[in-house]
Amino acid sequence: LRRLDGERARRSRVQEPHIGTGVTEFGRSSFKVAQAIFRDGICVAMGRATLVCMHKTTRKAVPLPQAAIDRLSKWKVTA
């Protein structure tokens, strides 16, 4: 995890929350994910994260494997 941001709106305890998650962008060695939590149809929180593919030993960024991009693409959204 390279970066994690979040925003929170008003509290609501009426219904169970619904959580939406999607991949918003692919980079050379990273991808970005956006999430939102809804209660009663109202967005009560949003978050964004950047995840980086790293080499196990050197811990340096390495290109995302095409197989990973292919698997993650089914959750691609526009944000």
Side-chain angles (χ1 to χ4, degrees):
L1 183 63
R2 188 177 126 218
R3 178 180 170 171
L4 181 63
D5 296 320
E7 299 171 25
R8 187 178 142 196
R10 69 179 182 87
R11 287 186 157 178
S12 171
R13 290 196 162 90
V14 178
Q15 264 187 357
E16 289 294 313
H18 295 276
I19 302 169
T21 302
V23 176
T24 59
E25 184 180 332
F26 290 102
R28 186 186 77 76
S29 60
S30 65
F31 62 98
K32 295 181 180 181
V33 176
Q35 293 184 305
I37 300 173
F38 296 88
R39 282 205 169 149
D40 300 325
I42 298 167
C43 183
V44 295
M46 295 185 312
R48 293 173 302 280
T50 301
L51 294 99
V52 179
C53 186
M54 296 189 323
H55 187 277
K56 279 197 254 187
T57 307
T58 65
R59 301 193 52 85
K60 292 187 183 235
V62 296
L64 277 171
Q66 187 59 48
I69 294 170
D70 293 344
R71 289 186 75 184
L72 291 166
S73 289
K74 64 180 159 184
W75 291 292
K76 182 86 165 96
V77 297
T78 55

